[in-house]
Amino acid sequence: MKELCKYKCEHCNTEYAEKNRAIECEENHKIKLKCKEKGYLPYHQDHSGYPLYVNIGFEDGKTIRYKRT
């Protein structure tokens, strides 16, 4: 019987056979983030209460906008 060993990225749960590939995956996720801005529609247009978009600032200085679909 063979024993199998896998490594899993703690951010995206991807499994790797090699430890160095799992470490590389973990190190490349942008995990330090801050909500910089959010935009809502008026309640009479959208009763969900969720934002239409959020702008997220990352540790490398970039800001990315995520929009609801």
Side-chain angles (χ1 to χ4, degrees), residues 21-64:
R21 292 196 61 213
I23 291 171
E24 180 182 32
C25 186
E26 286 186 348
E27 290 176 348
N28 281 291
H29 290 289
K30 312 279 190 234
I31 57 172
K32 294 180 183 175
L33 49 92
K34 180 180 179 183
C35 182
K36 294 196 154 217
E37 181 185 359
K38 51 196 173 280
Y40 291 88
L41 291 172
Y43 182 73
H44 67 273
Q45 287 181 313
D46 178 18
H47 298 292
S48 75
Y50 295 108
L52 181 61
Y53 68 86
V54 292
N55 290 344
I56 304 293
F58 291 90
E59 58 191 304
D60 61 1
K62 290 186 180 179
T63 299
I64 306 293

